[in-house]
Amino acid sequence: MTHALPDANAPAAPVISFDDFLKVDIRVGTIVAAHPFPEARNPAWKLEIDFGPAIGIKKSSAQIVEHYSPDTLIGRQVAAVVNFPPRQIGKAMSEVLTVGFPDAAGAVVLFAPDQPVANGARLF
């Protein structure tokens, strides 16, 4: 899934309740496959991410080609929102939103734990 990147100098979003935060289910998973996605409007990879037995393997389209190649993605843990509805991206269905932060040039840098954690672990 793709969305416009927010400006790093923009003010914080409006205040939400903790219950609203808990509605967004962000989990860690391990990338088990990464494929070219030449049909994408913007350069992207098609990812298959293992979120453990409760959630399983989910697909994501990620605009991360500037910093990552398919061979460097396999085995990497990433964070993703797992409770958004699936979204059609070109000819692919993206089931989760893989999250990251923009670098100085606006290219996406993946968000991931700095130590291995269990696939399916939830951000809190």
Side-chain angles (χ1 to χ4, degrees):
M1 300 177 122
T2 59
H3 299 280
L5 297 175
D7 180 352
N9 296 317
V15 173
I16 62 171
S17 72
F18 189 72
D19 287 339
D20 286 337
F21 168 73
L22 291 176
K23 292 176 186 176
V24 181
D25 192 353
I26 301 173
R27 304 284 182 117
V28 68
T30 300
I31 298 172
V32 295
H35 308 284
F37 190 9
E39 308 89 6
R41 192 174 336 167
N42 297 310
W45 301 123
K46 288 190 284 187
L47 307 177
E48 295 177 39
I49 307 168
D50 183 357
F51 291 98
I55 297 172
I57 295 175
K58 299 293 182 181
K59 296 176 183 173
S60 182
S61 168
Q63 295 178 6
I64 55 174
V65 300
E66 292 87 353
H67 293 299
Y68 308 96
S69 62
D71 60 320
T72 63
L73 290 167
I74 306 300
R76 178 184 292 267
Q77 286 197 302
V78 294
V81 178
V82 299
N83 66 329
F84 284 154
R87 184 171 175 180
Q88 189 75 40
I89 307 293
K91 294 182 179 181
M93 184 63 69
S94 191
E95 300 173 299
V96 299
L97 174 65
T98 305
V99 297
F101 295 97
D103 67 10
V108 178
V109 176
L110 291 170
F111 180 65
D114 64 358
Q115 296 181 30
V117 298
N119 285 339
R122 185 172 179 171
L123 178 74
F124 60 85

